[in-house]
Amino acid sequence: MKIWKSLLIVLMIFANLAFAQPSFADKPKFSKNPDYIEVTKALKQLSQTKDTQTQVESLTPEEIQKRTEELTLQKYALETGINWGQCDNQTGNTIAVYGKRLNDEDNEDSVYANGLYFLANGQSTKNNWDCDGIYLANDVKVANFTSNPNGQGQKLTGPAALKILDGTHLVIKTNPDTAAIELNVPTVKVITGKEANWFIPDISQALIDTRVPNAPSNQSLNRTA
């Protein structure tokens, strides 16, 4: 009888392990995400800037506040498990965007860390498909560009790759007066071939306009200029 009782106890233990969620399960490792580390660091720097009333490049207190608000929401998005960004093309032209390949086998065999796709005007990349960033053609300029979330920036012309943080909805527009590209978020980073294994060709916007749009996208939206 004692043997049967012992076996019953053992079976009950195994049943609990099989059907109950273990309390020691690993939590999401968002704290190790490079985007999360960068956002947290930038928020700390901006907070110190506000506390000491020091100047960051040419940013006004209002611009510093705007960056702080943007980064706070991106930090929250990363903490809640959002691991993709979205690119929205309102430039009037086709643009090139970076993102994961749709075929996992292609990802394993590819020379580059992501793929280069073409997104038509008036379209945004598909929900849950991670748009890593955009490609800037060699004859295109970005207006009011700063390369780091903490505001330390540079003037930028192509060719270049611009990376966005996970949880970002990046809207890309063209200024009708200057023809420069305008971005709606300040947390965009320039990527070079030395920093990341991205394909960064030296091509013109005119050539990009000849490409067939193939980026995973939501249904085209009707927008007014």
Side-chain angles (χ1 to χ4, degrees), residues 81-132:
I82 297 178
N83 59 359
W84 56 278
Q86 188 170 50
C87 297
D88 188 344
N89 180 14
Q90 300 182 27
T91 64
N93 301 100
T94 298
I95 64 171
V97 300
Y98 293 96
K100 289 184 173 57
R101 293 171 184 80
L102 302 179
N103 190 328
D104 290 337
E105 293 181 359
D106 291 341
N107 286 320
E108 294 177 358
D109 298 335
S110 176
V111 175
Y112 298 101
N114 53 24
L116 187 64
Y117 295 87
F118 300 98
L119 183 68
N121 177 55
Q123 291 188 339
S124 61
T125 53
K126 189 175 180 180
N127 294 351
N128 295 310
W129 182 78
D130 187 15
C131 181
D132 293 326

Side-chain angles (χ1 to χ4, degrees), residues 2 4 6 37 70 97 101 124 157 166 181 185 187 209:
K2 290 183 178 180
W4 285 109
S6 299
I37 294 171
E70 173 71 26
V97 300
R101 293 171 184 80
S124 61
T157 58
D166 289 342
I181 294 295
V185 295
T187 51
D209 287 334

Side-chain angles (χ1 to χ4, degrees), residues 28 32 41 50 69 77-78 92 100 110 142 149-150 155 172 191 194 200:
K32 295 182 179 180
K41 180 180 178 181
K50 291 172 65 176
E69 292 172 356
L78 293 167
K100 289 184 173 57
S110 176
V142 177
N150 63 7
K155 294 180 179 179
I172 310 101
I191 294 294
K194 295 180 180 179
I200 310 174

Side-chain angles (χ1 to χ4, degrees), residues 45-219:
Q45 291 175 339
L46 288 174
S47 176
Q48 291 173 345
T49 298
K50 291 172 65 176
D51 292 341
T52 59
Q53 297 184 344
T54 56
Q55 183 122 4
V56 178
E57 292 293 318
S58 59
L59 293 180
T60 65
E62 290 77 15
E63 289 171 330
I64 291 175
Q65 179 63 30
K66 180 180 178 181
R67 290 173 185 276
T68 300
E69 292 172 356
E70 173 71 26
L71 289 166
T72 299
L73 287 180
Q74 287 181 335
K75 182 173 181 285
Y76 172 76
L78 293 167
E79 289 173 341
T80 53
I82 297 178
N83 59 359
W84 56 278
Q86 188 170 50
C87 297
D88 188 344
N89 180 14
Q90 300 182 27
T91 64
N93 301 100
T94 298
I95 64 171
V97 300
Y98 293 96
K100 289 184 173 57
R101 293 171 184 80
L102 302 179
N103 190 328
D104 290 337
E105 293 181 359
D106 291 341
N107 286 320
E108 294 177 358
D109 298 335
S110 176
V111 175
Y112 298 101
N114 53 24
L116 187 64
Y117 295 87
F118 300 98
L119 183 68
N121 177 55
Q123 291 188 339
S124 61
T125 53
K126 189 175 180 180
N127 294 351
N128 295 310
W129 182 78
D130 187 15
C131 181
D132 293 326
I134 64 172
Y135 168 77
L136 188 67
N138 60 20
D139 52 353
V140 174
K141 297 180 181 180
V142 177
N144 302 320
F145 179 77
T146 51
S147 59
N148 292 317
N150 63 7
Q152 296 173 353
Q154 65 190 62
K155 294 180 179 179
L156 180 67
T157 58
L162 307 182
K163 180 183 183 298
I164 64 172
L165 300 174
D166 289 342
T168 298
H169 179 198
L170 177 68
V171 180
I172 310 101
K173 295 183 178 181
T174 301
N175 186 303
D177 298 322
T178 65
I181 294 295
E182 295 181 341
L183 309 176
N184 69 317
V185 295
T187 51
V188 179
K189 183 178 181 180
V190 178
I191 294 294
T192 67
K194 295 180 180 179
E195 293 176 327
N197 190 21
W198 291 25
F199 177 56
I200 310 174
D202 187 1
I203 59 177
S204 67
Q205 178 60 45
L207 182 60
I208 292 176
D209 287 334
T210 68
R211 301 298 93 182
V212 175
N214 63 349
S217 63
N218 293 324
Q219 185 175 359

